[in-house]
Every structure is written in structure tokens, then in C-alpha cells.
Amino acid sequence: MNNINDITGMIFIGVGLFFDFFGCLGLVRLPDLYNRLQASTKCVTFGTCSILFGTFLMLGFTAAGIKALLCIVFLLLTAPVSAHALARGAHISGVKLWEKSVCDKYESSKASGSSGDEKGKKGKRT
Amino acid sequence: MKRRIIWLIGAIIILSILGIIIFYSIPILFYPDLPFVPFFQRCFYILLFCALFCLYRILKGPTAPDRVVAIDILGILIVGFCSVLGIPTGRSWYIDIGIAWALQSFIATIALAKYIEGKDFDE
Amino acid sequence: MKSRIALFILAFLVWMCLCWSFDWQHVFIGVLVACFIAFMTGDMFVERTHLLRSPKRYFWFLYYIPLFVWECFKANIDVAYRVGHPDLPIKPGIVKVKTKLKSDAGLTFLANSITLTPGTLSVDVDKENGFLYVHWINAKDIERATQLIVHKFERILKRIFE
């Protein structure tokens, strides 16, 4: 029984390492800030959550295992919010999109003057 | 065509480094009589290799927001790093460090994003 | 007041999960800390407390979790394919999609789900008109963006948060 839990946890940790690796590779290979943010946020968040779940499976219902589960929930709530705040801040400060991009509806709507306000600390009050 | 050749060279280098990590046992300061040490030793090196990519982006990044993105990703990687360290050493307080690091990294990223928003970064 | 009670229960549960031991000392300190937190920041936790009492919403939330994890897994496979391909098959662009959700929590969950699902990243929210600006890594059909990105989550989140 214990052995099965250990092997499943190792498989989860291996899958998490695979996705972490591809996320970091995307951070180097992709051409502009938004694409990098997209690839790395998705892959690294899911990979780290998978590693933490593998840790939970290996430790079982002890104090450290429950802490790993809490850490999963916390990461899933905060990582997209910080990615969103970074993308918005970069776009407002004037970082350009990649030159082969298809369309930029946000730039045209910002020029006409209607932009949102105080979005940064929204995730704290889910 | 040139692009494909560069991709091939990069893939060969990365796969050879991964092969060295997986198939050769590089010594590390774990206690050798605890369980699962060979597996977690390799996890440790693969995560270090991922962190190397983030460090490349921090050093090279053309603008400041790129560096902030890399710092954010490095913070999430370190959480996984702490939880991987916690099992083979048998010390469960590494996961506490992971939770605290995630909290602090989130607040730091929000603050840096707010700081970036007020500035103009031209080419 | 009901918002404070909900926050007290949540804070106490998180405390008991963090120190996984049931001595009277841990429980006592937990009650004290949870009371303090609920007294200080309780009034801005949930605005519409009547939503917490309908059990149907919890079932929809339980249905939402496996769907979300499956989409997340697909997104990771997609990103791994795009990053590993030698020609980088991406076609990025920022599109504007329309949403019908109004509440804060619903919009936050929608933006988080959009960020973690295949090929999309939410950039900004226009709350008065109900628009979301989404960076799409493979902008294949700009006119049908609303249906392709938002629709499958909005259908469920509308039942949870509205």
C-alpha cells in the first residue's frame, strides 16, 4: 500500500518536472513578453502544483502533506493574478507586441480613452 | 533552414545535458541511507537546470518587465524546489519555507508590476 | 455579520490545516487569531452572503474543478508542443471578448480560468461594459473569439457566482 503511494507520487513529480522544463524553455525561446508570460505561467504553475501533489501523495495525511495541499490552492489562486498584473503593467508602460502579431484591440480601445482602474489587488478578495 | 540547424544544435546540447543528469550519478550532500535518494537527486539537478534558463532571461532580458517575469517564474520554481528537498532529507519544514516563499513572491510581483505601470520603457 | 462568521470559519480551518494537531493550546490560539482576523477585515470578505447558503452552488463548484484541471492539462500539452516545435507555430494577438458576469468574484475566477486554459492570457478587464481583453497565442478567428474562449467557463461560473 505504501509502495503504491510512493510510486504514484514519483510519477506525479516526474510529470511536474517535464512541464516545468518546457515552461522554462519557453521563457528563453518565445519572442516577446506576452508570449513568454503565457507559456511560463501556465506550464510552471501546473508543474509546481503537480510536484506538490506528488509530495502530498508520498507524505500522506501528515502535517507536511496538508501544507502541500494548501500550497497548491494558494498557487492556483495567486499565480494567474500576478501574471495578469504584470501583463497589464507592461502594456500600459508601453511594451510593444511582437511585430508579426495579428491584432491589438486593447491599444485601440486605450486610445479612445476607456481603461479599467484598480485591478491589481483583486485576487485577494475571492 | 538556418533556423532548423540552430534548433538542432540546441536540442542536442539540451538532450545531452539531460542525459548526463539522468544516467550518471553526480554526488550531492544528501544522507545516503535515507530512501529515494537517487530519484530526488536527479529531480534536484533538473530543477537547477530550469532555474538556469530563468537566470539567462534575467541577465539578458531587453527590458525591465522581462526581468520581472523571469523573477516571478523563479519564485514559483523555488516552491517546487523546497517541496522536492523536503522528502529525501526527512525535514518537513522545507514545505513551510515553500508557503512563505510563495506568499512573499506574490506580493513582490504585484509591487513590481505597480512600479512598472508608472514608468515608460521605450526601446 | 454573516460575512464575519464565514471569514472566521475559513480562517480557523486554514489554521487547523496548517498546524495539523488537535491540542487545546493550538485550538485556543487558533480561535483567538481567527477572531482577530474576522474582527479586523471581516466586512469586505463576501458582499452577498445569501449565496453561501444554497447547496446547489457547491455542487456546481465541485463539477467545475475536474473540468478546470483537464483544461489545464490540455493547455500544458499545447504549450509544450508550441515551444518544442522548431518553427514556433504562434500567431499572437490581443482580442476583445464580451462576458455577461457582473460580480467581482465571478470575474476574478473567469480571468484566472482564462489565464490557465489553452493559449490565452487575460490582460485587462473593463467592468462597466463587461469586456475582457485577452492575449491569444493562436488568434485564428477573431470574430468568434467570445464563443471560443469565454463560453465554456461562463456557463458554469454563472451558476456559481450570480
Side-chain angles (χ1 to χ4, degrees), chain A:
Chain A
M1 193 59 204
N2 200 12
N3 203 7
I4 289 174
N5 274 354
D6 285 345
I7 288 172
T8 325
M10 277 185 187
I11 289 171
F12 268 99
I13 290 178
V15 171
L17 283 177
F18 176 78
F19 286 136
D20 265 5
F21 178 75
F22 271 101
C24 290
L25 195 63
L27 197 63
V28 174
R29 275 200 81 198
L30 290 174
D32 78 336
L33 186 135
Y34 305 98
N35 294 319
R36 274 178 215 145
L37 198 56
Q38 209 175 101
S40 51
T41 302
K42 270 195 274 271
C43 272
V44 174
T45 305
F46 188 73
T48 306
C49 286
S50 177
I51 288 177
L52 285 169
F53 191 70
T55 310
F56 165 69
L57 282 182
M58 292 185 78
L59 290 174
F61 280 95
T62 56
I66 299 294
K67 274 173 202 160
L69 276 189
L70 272 183
C71 202
I72 289 177
V73 174
F74 188 73
L75 269 185
L76 279 183
L77 281 181
T78 58
V81 174
S82 65
H84 161 80
L86 268 175
R88 182 169 178 270
H91 204 286
I92 286 177
S93 79
V95 177
K96 298 283 186 297
L97 267 77
W98 193 33
E99 63 261 21
K100 286 184 200 164
S101 297
V102 181
C103 59
D104 193 352
K105 294 283 178 59
Y106 188 39
E107 188 67 45
S108 55
S109 85
K110 212 165 57 171
S112 68
S114 73
S115 150
D117 52 345
E118 57 98 21
K119 181 59 177 51
K121 48 183 163 182
K122 213 176 149 192
K124 287 177 193 167
R125 23 184 317 196
T126 52

Side-chain angles (χ1 to χ4, degrees), chain B residues 1-41:
Chain B
M1 198 58 212
K2 194 181 159 210
R3 197 175 177 123
R4 296 242 166 178
I5 292 172
I6 293 176
W7 181 82
L8 201 65
I9 293 172
I12 288 174
I13 291 174
I14 288 174
L15 283 181
S16 58
I17 291 176
L18 283 182
I20 289 174
I21 288 173
I22 290 174
F23 292 113
Y24 289 87
S25 166
I26 311 168
I28 194 174
L29 290 175
F30 281 156
Y31 302 102
D33 50 343
L34 281 167
F36 313 122
V37 166
F39 177 76
F40 283 104
Q41 188 175 330

Side-chain angles (χ1 to χ4, degrees), chain A residues 15 18-19 22-23 25-26 29-32 34-35 37-47 61-63 66-67 70 76-81 83-84 87-88 91-92 97-98 100-107 109-110 114-117 119 122-126, chain C residues 14 16-20 44-47 68-69 72-73 75-77 79-88 90-96 103-105 107-109 111-112 114-129 133 135-137 139 142:
Chain A
V15 171
F18 176 78
F19 286 136
F22 271 101
L25 195 63
R29 275 200 81 198
L30 290 174
D32 78 336
Y34 305 98
N35 294 319
L37 198 56
Q38 209 175 101
S40 51
T41 302
K42 270 195 274 271
C43 272
V44 174
T45 305
F46 188 73
F61 280 95
T62 56
I66 299 294
K67 274 173 202 160
L70 272 183
L76 279 183
L77 281 181
T78 58
V81 174
H84 161 80
R88 182 169 178 270
H91 204 286
I92 286 177
L97 267 77
W98 193 33
K100 286 184 200 164
S101 297
V102 181
C103 59
D104 193 352
K105 294 283 178 59
Y106 188 39
E107 188 67 45
S109 85
K110 212 165 57 171
S114 73
S115 150
D117 52 345
K119 181 59 177 51
K122 213 176 149 192
K124 287 177 193 167
R125 23 184 317 196
T126 52
Chain C
V14 169
M16 288 320 285
C17 286
L18 271 180
C19 61
W20 186 248
M44 56 183 176
F45 181 56
V46 255
E47 280 100 5
F68 174 72
V69 172
C72 208
F73 188 72
N76 282 281
I77 297 290
V79 167
Y81 164 70
R82 283 181 204 283
V83 167
H85 199 278
D87 289 337
L88 284 181
I90 59 174
K91 207 168 88 178
I94 292 183
V95 296
K96 180 179 182 180
S103 62
D104 271 350
L107 274 175
T108 308
F109 266 80
N112 279 8
I114 284 175
T115 299
L116 287 177
T117 46
T120 48
L121 171 81
S122 58
V123 175
D124 202 355
V125 173
D126 188 358
K127 206 180 153 192
E128 292 92 31
N129 304 323
Y133 297 95
H135 182 267
W136 199 0
I137 205 170
I142 299 171

Side-chain angles (χ1 to χ4, degrees), chain C residues 49-114:
Chain C
T49 46
H50 63 276
L51 295 189
L52 286 175
R53 270 180 298 168
S54 61
K56 212 193 254 179
R57 298 177 193 272
Y58 295 102
F59 286 117
W60 279 107
F61 192 71
L62 285 184
Y63 174 65
Y64 168 74
I65 289 173
L67 187 82
F68 174 72
V69 172
W70 174 241
E71 290 289 327
C72 208
F73 188 72
K74 273 201 302 192
N76 282 281
I77 297 290
D78 183 59
V79 167
Y81 164 70
R82 283 181 204 283
V83 167
H85 199 278
D87 289 337
L88 284 181
I90 59 174
K91 207 168 88 178
I94 292 183
V95 296
K96 180 179 182 180
V97 297
K98 183 163 178 53
T99 172
K100 294 195 215 63
L101 296 178
K102 291 282 181 237
S103 62
D104 271 350
L107 274 175
T108 308
F109 266 80
L110 183 67
N112 279 8
S113 321
I114 284 175

